Amino acid sequence: MAATEPRSAPTPVAPPRRRGRRSSVRGWRRTDQLIFALAWLAGLGLCLVAGAIVIFLAIEGLQYLDPKLLVTSPSPAVNQAHSGGFLDPLIGTMTMALLGTLIATPLAVLTAVWVVEYGRPRWLAAVVETSIEMIAGTPDIVIAIFGLAFFQIGILAPFSFRASGGGVYGRSFLAAGIMMSLLALPLTYTATRNGLRAIPRHMREASFALGKTRAATIRRVLMPSLRPDIATGATLGLGRIVGSTAIIVLLLGATLQNSPQNSVPLLGFLRGTGSTLTSYIFFNSPAGEGNAPQKAYAAAFVLLLIVLVLNWAVARISRIGAGSSLNSGRMAR
Amino acid sequence: MSAEKTHLQSPCTLAPQAKVRENGTMSINQLVFDPPALDPMTSAPLRAVSSLTGPERMRLHDISVFYDGAAAVKQASLSIHQGEVLALIGPSGCGKTTLLRTLNRLTELTPNASHSGTITLDGDDIHELEDTKLRTRVSMVFQQPNPFPMSIFDNVAFALREQSRRRPRRRELEPLVKQALQRAGLYEEVRNNLDRPALRLSGGQQQRLCIARAIANNPEILLMDEPCSALDPRSTAVIEDLILQLRSDLAIVIVTHNLQQARRVADRVAFMYLGDLVELGDAGQLFEAPREERTREYIAGAFG
């Protein structure tokens, strides 16, 4: 239509506007104004709290954070100049994170795939779902004490070590790692399950319609697009593992130094006891026996850095996934 | 391989077989199905109806499909021939998609679905065939373009790969993938980007990729469930052209809400209403002179 109208003289082009005139907040209802203000305040307040934690720990931590602390083992000395650094707890934290995630992720993914893609009989799927919700809601100290009782069963002695009297100690990296995996499992499970549920049904049917089996469909069609979901879940789980103290104190022994069970290279270490940054912070804080707040702050800062890096990794992974996953492809349409 | 087989079936060689079929009459829900008009040109003014209808590939006999005991399709009987496009039309919820999904047994994925009656593919009862085998012979294109989250090449290669342990080499698959993409009219656009993620393609290209994927195994029958409803008019036109080209190699059954589309692409049209196969006929006849009152009303836009 516009094409048939006679061309008018070219009008001067106005600079592009981002948006037109909008209604003013002043014209809103009182309650809406109030809630609007509260929403702003809540958001800003949270930023302040988060910022305060990071800044406080950065100031306190960096003040005492000597690179030497990262590479020296802690030693039992009253004089803080000789009590060493936190190499062992750092290794302990890494080991816990790795072990817990390695156990939790495959379990969580397999469970989620079974529940969403098979889920028969229905009642069993419902029981599985409820169980995982229950584990997710269990405090880690409860998981820890259950683990302690569990790993002290004689038959499970290979996981920790047997004391000279025959009693099973029930504390080791393995025992703690297995219980830690319970902390991560619900998070990875939920992320994977939600990822699976977000994949439209016709995507599976497209694969079936090409004569593919359910197994081939899961392996080749669903799994590739689940990768970002699994990664996000695993990283969230990692954050929980790194932060847990109760399981470390009860199941890892929270010893000053990592003490391998025997001289077998890796296995001895995994069967031995040790500590992580969380237990190190606890014992060095004014509340603990070590009473070396400077080192507690330094360790806390390192732990915070690890968590921040993990959070950043989650954001990164989700964004990378956004380009290639099925779910985002569907949203883009 | 089988592409050559299908190319051998030129219109001339198929014509005598088509005649044999046209001489017989079929009963569809007590309706007597007349043979198609002798001169299709006169009855289908919009375009030439395919006169290269080939041998019968699939036959449905008294097929009913139930969801929780309620019939979604009631005793439908029809036959599907190579070289033709059969369109299923009807208002929403009339059972046309259910009927389509019964042909490759996708309805079995719905736990509360059951069926009665028989469907044969080249004489074999499809419910006696292994589901995976059946679906390589009767493949399907969906309403939403749904390429898999992998490269363009892998999308087609995925369809070609057997369930066997051994993975064929890329070099072995390449000509087959190329051929499928060519038949789907996509190859020229993607020939330099075969390793790019398929999800980066436009909607129309994605749908053609899905068609390439579906025809890569040289199926006997291609089912299409409203393949253009998520596409713009240009992409729709491209796909419709493609359907007309593909029909010489295989039988196409297409579900569509779009009566214009059914007119443009179909050789025969089946009108369904509330689970009944009300009328089945040559496209020109059904649109120009429907025998049933309900068909007439639907085509005239009275309901649906």
Side-chain angles (χ1 to χ4, degrees):
Chain A
M1 246 191 282
T4 61
E5 282 173 13
R7 278 279 159 90
S8 54
T11 47
V13 181
R17 291 175 72 175
R18 206 164 67 80
R19 57 184 172 217
R21 200 175 150 197
R22 296 193 304 168
S23 72
S24 154
V25 180
R26 255 174 256 140
W28 289 12
R29 275 168 49 171
R30 260 299 150 76
T31 41
D32 287 354
Q33 283 179 340
L34 189 71
I35 289 167
F36 183 64
L38 282 175
W40 266 93
L41 280 178
L44 288 177
L46 265 175
C47 291
L48 278 179
V49 172
I53 292 174
V54 173
I55 291 167
F56 173 75
L57 277 175
I59 292 172
E60 292 288 337
L62 283 175
Q63 204 175 322
Y64 305 113
L65 184 59
D66 183 343
K68 241 191 273 170
L69 287 179
L70 296 173
V71 291
T72 42
S73 292
S75 57
V78 183
N79 183 344
Q80 286 309 311
H82 301 293
S83 66
F86 42 84
L87 173 66
D88 289 36
L90 198 58
I91 291 173
T93 293
M94 304 284 186
T95 311
M96 264 339 0
L98 199 68
L99 207 57
T101 311
L102 279 184
I103 298 170
T105 309
L107 251 159
V109 171
L110 287 174
T111 313
V113 165
W114 181 79
V115 166
V116 179
E117 299 303 315
Y118 295 88
R120 298 295 142 96
R122 267 225 180 105
W123 62 265
L124 188 59
V127 169
V128 169
E129 185 91 354
T130 316
S131 310
I132 289 171
E133 271 165 28
M134 209 207 69
I135 293 172
T138 310
D140 58 351
I141 184 81
V142 176
I143 289 180
I145 196 129
F146 169 76
L148 193 61
F150 182 70
F151 282 104
Q152 280 175 348
I153 298 171
I155 222 174
L156 297 170
F159 284 97
S160 53
F161 72 92
R162 198 179 280 271
S164 47
V168 176
Y169 197 52
R171 289 173 177 167
S172 70
F173 273 103
L174 274 177
I178 289 167
M179 284 300 149
M180 280 290 192
S181 72
L182 289 182
L183 292 186
L185 189 130
L187 294 165
T188 314
Y189 167 81
T190 308
T192 311
R193 184 201 60 190
N194 292 349
L196 275 172
R197 286 190 180 158
I199 297 173
R201 205 176 64 156
H202 63 77
M203 193 62 75
R204 298 171 176 81
E205 289 179 347
S207 176
F208 297 145
L210 293 172
K212 299 298 169 183
T213 58
R214 198 174 279 273
T217 303
I218 291 169
R219 185 159 34 79
R220 296 274 287 126
V221 176
L222 303 184
M223 274 303 156
S225 61
L226 277 185
R227 227 175 283 141
D229 299 285
I230 296 170
T232 306
T235 320
L236 288 173
L238 215 64
R240 245 201 116 183
I241 292 174
V242 165
S244 168
T245 320
I247 290 179
I248 298 306
V249 173
L250 268 72
L251 279 172
L252 193 57
T255 54
L256 198 56
Q257 296 178 347
N258 296 336
S259 16
Q261 155 68 7
N262 51 41
S263 57
V264 183
L266 185 64
L267 205 64
F269 173 71
L270 290 179
R271 284 181 63 192
T273 54
S275 64
T276 64
L277 285 172
T278 51
S279 65
Y280 182 84
I281 294 167
F282 171 66
F283 284 118
N284 281 290
S285 75
E289 302 148 16
N291 200 7
Q294 306 88 344
K295 284 182 181 166
Y297 282 131
F301 181 66
V302 171
L303 185 58
L304 186 72
L305 274 187
I306 292 177
V307 172
L308 285 181
V309 167
L310 286 181
N311 282 355
W312 175 81
V314 170
R316 246 346 259 276
I317 289 164
S318 331
R319 208 162 342 122
I320 292 169
S324 61
S325 98
L326 270 181
N327 305 344
S328 57
R330 184 181 51 111
M331 279 190 288
R333 273 200 283 278
Chain B
M1 30 174 279
S2 23
E4 287 183 4
K5 167 196 82 185
T6 48
H7 284 302
L8 284 173
Q9 291 164 337
S10 69
C12 314
T13 56
L14 293 177
Q17 288 162 295
K19 273 281 179 289
V20 173
R21 179 188 67 86
E22 283 165 11
N23 289 342
T25 53
M26 281 174 279
S27 131
I28 299 109
N29 286 3
Q30 286 82 45
L31 275 174
V32 177
F33 167 64
D34 285 350
L38 285 175
D39 184 4
M41 297 294 280
T42 53
S43 55
L46 281 169
R47 63 165 193 85
V49 163
S50 163
S51 52
L52 36 108
T53 304
E56 177 183 286
R57 299 323 288 263
M58 208 173 219
R59 178 181 278 276
L60 283 70
H61 186 71
D62 277 345
I63 277 292
S64 301
V65 186
F66 308 92
Y67 291 120
D68 285 328
V73 175
K74 299 166 192 163
Q75 296 193 306
S77 300
L78 56 86
S79 61
I80 297 161
H81 297 259
Q82 176 161 337
E84 76 163 1
V85 177
L86 171 67
L88 303 178
I89 61 167
S92 297
C94 69
K96 54 192 190 304
T97 296
T98 298
L99 183 61
L100 189 79
R101 290 162 59 89
T102 311
L103 302 184
N104 65 350
R105 288 169 57 194
L106 271 191
T107 37
E108 288 178 5
L109 300 176
T110 314
N112 56 357
S114 56
H115 76 277
S116 67
T118 53
I119 303 176
T120 55
L121 175 65
D122 290 340
D124 304 321
D125 186 342
I126 65 163
H127 293 94
E128 299 300 320
L129 295 170
E130 252 175 59
D131 51 1
T132 52
K133 295 255 168 57
L134 169 71
R135 289 173 192 151
T136 56
R137 296 169 63 186
V138 182
S139 80
M140 184 158 171
V141 172
F142 294 77
Q143 184 172 1
Q144 280 292 333
N146 50 8
F148 301 130
M150 35 178 113
S151 72
I152 295 168
F153 183 91
D154 284 342
N155 259 277
V156 183
F158 177 65
L160 287 164
R161 282 176 183 143
E162 293 287 315
Q163 315 274 14
S164 64
R165 300 262 156 74
R166 195 185 72 90
R167 256 194 198 187
R169 295 262 178 86
R170 179 166 173 138
R171 219 173 330 118
E172 297 168 34
L173 289 174
E174 214 146 47
L176 298 171
V177 170
K178 182 179 166 187
Q179 190 187 40
L181 287 170
Q182 277 170 337
R183 286 174 74 198
L186 187 63
Y187 185 70
E188 289 309 315
E189 288 160 62
V190 300
R191 57 185 306 169
N192 298 320
N193 298 314
L194 287 177
D195 290 314
R196 281 188 53 190
L199 291 165
R200 298 267 169 82
L201 295 173
S202 75
Q205 289 175 323
Q206 289 190 3
Q207 194 63 305
R208 274 181 285 151
L209 179 62
C210 293
I211 293 174
R213 194 171 70 182
I215 60 178
N217 265 326
N218 289 303
E220 282 125 286
I221 302 195
L222 180 63
L223 310 176
M224 305 181 106
D225 187 4
E226 300 187 46
C228 300
S229 66
L231 304 180
D232 63 273
R234 271 200 67 165
S235 306
T236 301
V238 172
I239 302 251
E240 285 177 5
D241 271 353
L242 189 56
I243 292 171
L244 294 177
Q245 283 167 32
L246 286 173
R247 71 178 165 178
S248 55
D249 298 340
L250 35 74
I252 296 177
V253 186
I254 179 171
V255 163
T256 178
H257 264 115
N258 183 337
L259 295 182
Q260 308 305 326
Q261 182 171 64
R263 275 182 167 224
R264 286 191 297 263
V265 302
D267 300 300
R268 283 195 302 151
V269 177
F271 170 64
M272 292 183 71
Y273 184 64
L274 297 176
D276 286 317
L277 179 55
V278 175
E279 184 167 349
L280 169 68
D282 174 71
Q285 172 265 314
L286 190 128
F287 283 116
E288 302 303 324
R291 271 182 295 267
E292 286 284 312
E293 186 59 31
R294 284 178 290 179
T295 317
R296 192 171 302 129
E297 284 173 3
Y298 180 69
I299 287 165
F303 63 89

